[in-house]
Amino acid sequence: MSDIVFKSEEINVREHKHVSKNTGNVMYEQYLLNDEDTKMMIKQILYPKGTITPWHTHDCAHGMYVLEGVLHTNLGDFDKGSFVWFKEGSKAFHGGKDEDVEVLFITNKEFNIYYL
């Protein structure tokens, strides 16, 4: 079994800017857990108001736990404290429509993304 890396200190996710090379979207994200064997991960993501990841699919399943704001997705809108799970291979979009949204993003295995 691999060592699991977990950062327990308080994180200011706004200090970790990420610009998508595919869409140009500006988000903020910080890895919290990364399992070397399974490639499963958890990262904290902040989608600024108006930032929506366009329609895409993954080989991995992924879930999103809403920490702040309302997460806008193709499955509906999810308030703070909600959790939504996207099955492997499902088509999805998600992000912050009317406000900043902060989530925990969780995968079940190695992450990849294919834009439609």
Side-chain angles (χ1 to χ4, degrees):
M1 180 173 196
S2 71
D3 291 329
I4 294 177
V5 177
F6 181 73
K7 298 180 179 186
S8 61
E9 69 273 6
E10 187 170 325
I11 294 173
N12 180 353
V13 73
R14 288 189 186 271
E15 294 176 357
H16 304 276
K17 185 176 181 179
H18 171 77
V19 179
S20 170
K21 64 182 177 187
N22 296 303
T23 66
N25 282 349
V26 174
M27 300 179 295
Y28 302 87
E29 56 185 50
Q30 173 63 43
Y31 287 86
L32 302 176
L33 183 140
N34 205 350
D35 182 62
E36 293 176 10
D37 287 341
T38 65
K39 307 298 185 201
M40 176 248 177
M41 71 170 174
I42 300 173
K43 62 183 174 177
Q44 186 175 349
I45 299 176
L46 181 127
Y47 295 94
K49 177 182 176 179
T51 303
I52 306 287
T53 303
W55 281 101
H56 62 278
T57 188
H58 305 277
D59 292 331
C60 62
H62 65 291
M64 301 175 101
Y65 177 79
V66 183
L67 298 169
E68 294 292 334
V70 176
L71 179 67
H72 177 66
T73 79
N74 58 295
L75 299 176
D77 293 336
F78 297 87
D79 294 330
K80 179 179 179 176
S82 298
F83 184 80
V84 59
W85 187 254
F86 298 91
K87 295 178 183 179
E88 290 183 25
S90 62
K91 296 175 184 169
F93 67 78
H94 43 71
K97 181 179 173 186
D98 299 320
E99 60 189 316
D100 290 354
V101 177
E102 195 168 337
V103 301
L104 292 179
F105 182 89
I106 304 159
T107 67
N108 68 332
K109 60 183 182 182
E110 188 170 12
F111 176 79
N112 55 30
I113 188 166
Y114 307 102
Y115 292 98
L116 305 176

